Amino acid sequence: MECVFCKIINKEIPAEIVFEDEDILAFKDIHPVAPVHILIIPKKHIASINDLEEGDIELVGKMIFQAKGIAKNFDISQKGYKLLIRTGEWGGQEVSHIHLHLIGGAKLSEDIRPII
Ligand code: 5GP
Ligand code: ZN
């Protein structure tokens, strides 16, 4: 499998993992755009939002639910953060394995704009 995120899931390439369970992996983005920048991915390879099936609904819900927990662990819940899923070429998606960006630790709309 060529997918870089599947390689991270399989521990073939290293990543700073911050959360893992049987369905979900979360790790620090290699090029953070904010003090906290975590990628939350399903262990199942799904290329993009466009490839979601009805059976994936619970999995996507888990990704967002874990984002809440990770935000709390990184102490950014109170101040707030952004969740972002890019999709396809015009959406700027670079890695073809669904990933939820959790971005925070700064006042994003005023201090940091490059992500959107
Ligand atoms: P996209 O642009 O597809 O929404 O986001 C891809 C993200 O994955 C980028 O923010 C990029 O920095 C990150 N990324 C790409 N390759 C790696 C990698 O090998 N390790 C980690 N930790 N992050 C990666
Ligand atoms: Zn993959």
Side-chain angles (χ1 to χ4, degrees):
M1 173 71 84
E2 292 296 304
C3 173
V4 63
F5 287 176
C6 282
K7 286 182 177 164
I8 289 175
I9 291 163
N10 294 328
K11 311 281 160 64
E12 290 167 27
I13 60 172
E16 277 192 69
I17 293 169
V18 301
F19 175 82
E20 180 167 16
D21 70 9
E22 58 180 8
D23 299 315
I24 304 286
L25 187 73
F27 51 93
K28 293 186 179 179
D29 195 293
I30 204 166
H31 296 305
V33 300
V36 177
H37 189 172
I38 308 290
L39 300 175
I40 300 161
I41 67 174
K43 287 192 169 175
K44 176 186 175 188
H45 180 88
I46 304 169
S48 83
I49 294 284
N50 288 337
D51 300 287
L52 282 175
E53 295 168 356
E54 215 167 328
D56 300 320
I57 289 174
E58 193 180 343
L59 187 58
V60 173
K62 282 185 179 181
M63 289 168 63
I64 294 178
F65 186 75
Q66 295 306 340
K68 169 193 163 180
I70 294 164
K72 196 167 192 304
N73 290 344
F74 278 81
D75 205 23
I76 60 172
S77 301
Q78 206 75 26
K79 288 286 190 182
Y81 48 87
K82 283 187 188 179
L83 299 178
L84 171 70
I85 301 178
R86 301 185 197 277
T87 303
E89 188 187 346
W90 283 19
Q93 183 179 4
E94 287 176 357
V95 178
S96 295
H97 181 132
I98 287 183
H99 46 286
L100 177 64
H101 294 258
L102 166 62
I103 303 159
K107 197 169 181 185
L108 298 175
S109 56
E110 293 181 7
D111 300 342
I112 296 172
R113 286 190 169 272
I115 192 82
I116 295 175

